Each structure stands twice: as C-alpha cells, then as structure tokens.
Amino acid sequence: MVEPLDPEMFDPVCPSSALPVQIGDKWTAMVVLCLEAGPRRFTELKTPLRGVTPKVLTQTLRAMERDGLVTRTAYDENPPRVEYELTPLGRSLLDLVAAARAWSREHLPALLEARAAHDSSPHASRLKRSPDSRA
Amino acid sequence: MVEPLDPEMFDPVCPSSALPVQIGDKWTAMVVLCLEAGPRRFTELKTPLRGVTPKVLTQTLRAMERDGLVTRTAYDENPPRVEYELTPLGRSLLDLVAAARAWSREHLPALLEARAAHDSSPHASRLKRSPDSRA
DNA sequence: GATACTGGTTACCTCAACGATACCGGGATA
DNA sequence: TATCCCGGTATCGTTGAGGTAACCAGTATC
C-alpha cells in the first residue's frame, strides 16, 4: 500500500483562485495529484481536499471516470471499499499539472504583484494624448 | 504593422468545452494567441473571437490588464484607437498554451473516445466481488 | 436500542460567468 | 442633416458549477 496522503498537501492560502490555469474542474488537478502515488479510497481523497463535499467529489470522480482519467473499483466487502486509480491517460495529465505548477512558481508572484499594484493605484487616466503635449 | 488575424484561426467545432485545460477565463488563451504576433486593436480581436460580445471582451482584457498580462494604450485620436499588447508576463503564458495544445493533440482523441464509449455503454455493474472467491 | 462508519444520494440555494440587446460620444464624411 | 466608425457601457436574463444540509443501506459495535 502507498503512504497516506498528507492532509496539508494543498496550501489553503494559495488556491487555484489566483492562478490562471485550470485543469478540468475545480478539484480535478488536485485529485490527479492525490492519485499520483497509487490508488486511493473515497474518504482518503476527502482529507487533503479540505472543504470538498462528498457530492462534489463524487461529481468530479464520475466525470474523470467518464473521460477515462481514473478507474473506479468497488469491492463488495464489509465495510464497503472503493478505490480510484489513475489510468495512463490520467497519468498523462501529470505533465500538464507540472507545467502549470512550474509556471506558477516562476511567474505567479509577478502576476500577484501586478494585481496588487493595479488595485491600489488611483486609476490613472487611461488616455494617452496624441504625441503632442499635455496640460 | 503585423499581418491581419485570420478570422478562422479558432475552430468553432473544437472548442475548449471538450479539453480539460483552461487558461484564465474562457477567452484568455485565445486573446493571448491573437496577440502573439504583435499589438492588436479591440475590433481586430473581436473578429477571430467569433461570438464574443464587446462586454465580455472588455471584461477579459481588463482582467488581463489588471494581472499584468497585457497593456492597454489608448490614443486620443479620431477615430479612437486602442491597442492591446502582451507584456513579457503575458508572453510567458504562450509556453503554457503550447503545452496545453500539445497535450490535446496527443491525448484528446483518447479522452473523447473514452467519453463516447462511456456514454454509449449500458452502464455495466460498478461492483466487483471480493477477490477471494469466484461467482 | 443507539450509535458510528463507508460511500455515497437527493433537494435546494447562491453566485458569478457568460451572453443578448441596446445605446453612447465625438469626430469625419456625404 | 444624417450617417458611419470605434471602443466601448448599461441593462437584463440564463446557465451551471459549486456549496449546504439532510438522508440512506448495511454492518458492527456499544
């Protein structure tokens, strides 16, 4: 079995709300990351995906299953056990996620800085006079 | 001046609705692509972005300006002229867009095939018996 | 009995993105 | 006078992703 997931693997302060790249739905990229090391159970996924409701996690996983990104295996045991695992196709998304994370590491600070500067500026005139002059 | 934009540079049949990667808002990636070759005017952008309403295009461009991805330069001339241009930060998104497009070229057919297969299948039982026994 | 655990389902609500349509101001042109 | 062009605004409506809360079956344990 693989190691348990770090409940804090996703920084709640640096959410995808800021970065301009999204893979699939809101949680898809995080699910991919959670499944990188091996199959995981439903409740196992819920832990690091803090705040995700079972409904939304189910929706996400169903959509990923539909698209061939994960497989769902339910074992008729007691207590019930369901495992989700990345397919090779889903695994191919890891490169993309890595690219997005690389971009963020490199450029997100500049973006946030630009945003902060813009928000705090007194909205200077957006007009450039013709090359003559100005009063 | 740069060459005019091809009004059909974006295939209306292969929209981003299918592919699981999104850069910024709905139109952001396309705007980046449109600005790749040089500055463009508002109406110039509207043409290849078929169907975008001026309101939404304005929203997109303002958001990109806020994030330091484009610069907006308005010339006080007649008729009015406004030019949008990629900043180096905006230009850095080109790599990401290229990565997303590469992934799509390589893997999107498999995803769509999986989706079609899933949608047309009679939803086989999602239950797997415990591995110990047989029937 | 009562409660808890697993892997969900169902009904309802909210909010922001997106879109449709119409309109505007200021020249220049006819 | 009227119309066109450009770069937008204003107002309205739709849509859907996502969230909240409650509930479920089956077993097991208290």
Side-chain angles (χ1 to χ4, degrees):
Chain A
M1 199 43 193
V2 289
E3 295 192 355
L5 291 171
D6 176 6
E8 310 211 346
M9 65 185 290
F10 298 114
D11 182 353
V13 180
C14 171
S16 45
S17 62
L19 96 165
V21 188
Q22 200 184 336
I23 314 269
D25 284 336
K26 181 176 180 181
W27 303 95
T28 304
M30 286 183 265
V31 169
V32 169
L33 251 19
C34 287
L35 294 179
E36 180 171 9
R40 300 286 182 182
R41 304 176 57 169
F42 189 86
T43 36
E44 217 173 346
L45 290 172
K46 253 198 317 194
T47 307
L49 271 33
R50 277 166 298 186
V52 74
T53 60
K55 176 196 135 184
V56 174
L57 183 53
T58 301
Q59 282 178 353
T60 303
L61 290 168
R62 293 279 193 277
M64 294 176 72
E65 190 191 2
R66 173 174 180 255
D67 286 349
L69 303 177
V70 300
T71 55
R72 177 186 188 276
T73 311
Y75 298 92
D76 189 12
E77 301 172 355
N78 178 292
R81 185 163 62 97
V82 179
E83 279 187 351
Y84 295 91
E85 185 170 14
L86 280 183
T87 64
L89 182 59
R91 214 160 266 288
S92 76
L93 279 178
L94 284 167
D95 295 341
L96 215 46
V97 174
R101 304 224 287 182
W103 187 94
S104 295
R105 263 192 305 279
E106 198 169 346
H107 299 292
L108 193 53
L111 188 151
L112 294 176
E113 190 180 341
R115 187 180 292 186
H118 181 99
D119 287 356
S120 67
S121 87
H123 281 275
S125 92
R126 322 177 109 265
L127 206 60
K128 172 180 273 186
R129 298 269 160 201
S130 286
D132 54 310
S133 74
R134 205 190 67 81
Chain B
M1 197 47 192
V2 290
E3 296 191 357
L5 292 170
D6 176 6
E8 311 212 343
M9 65 185 290
F10 298 114
D11 182 354
V13 179
C14 170
S16 46
S17 62
L19 96 166
V21 188
Q22 201 183 338
I23 315 269
D25 284 335
K26 181 174 179 184
W27 303 95
T28 305
M30 285 183 265
V31 169
V32 169
L33 252 17
C34 286
L35 294 179
E36 181 171 9
R40 301 286 182 182
R41 306 176 58 169
F42 189 85
T43 36
E44 218 174 347
L45 291 172
K46 252 197 319 193
T47 307
L49 270 35
R50 277 166 298 185
V52 75
T53 60
K55 175 194 140 186
V56 174
L57 183 53
T58 300
Q59 282 177 352
T60 302
L61 290 168
R62 292 278 194 277
M64 293 176 72
E65 190 191 3
R66 173 174 180 253
D67 286 348
L69 302 177
V70 299
T71 55
R72 177 186 187 276
T73 310
Y75 298 93
D76 189 13
E77 301 173 352
N78 179 293
R81 185 162 63 97
V82 179
E83 280 188 349
Y84 294 92
E85 186 169 12
L86 281 183
T87 64
L89 182 58
R91 212 159 267 287
S92 75
L93 280 178
L94 284 167
D95 295 341
L96 215 46
V97 174
R101 304 224 288 182
W103 187 93
S104 295
R105 263 193 305 278
E106 199 169 344
H107 299 292
L108 192 54
L111 189 151
L112 294 177
E113 190 179 342
R115 186 180 293 184
H118 181 98
D119 287 355
S120 66
S121 87
H123 282 273
S125 94
R126 324 176 108 264
L127 207 60
K128 171 180 275 186
R129 298 271 156 198
S130 287
D132 54 272
S133 71
R134 13 58 296 167

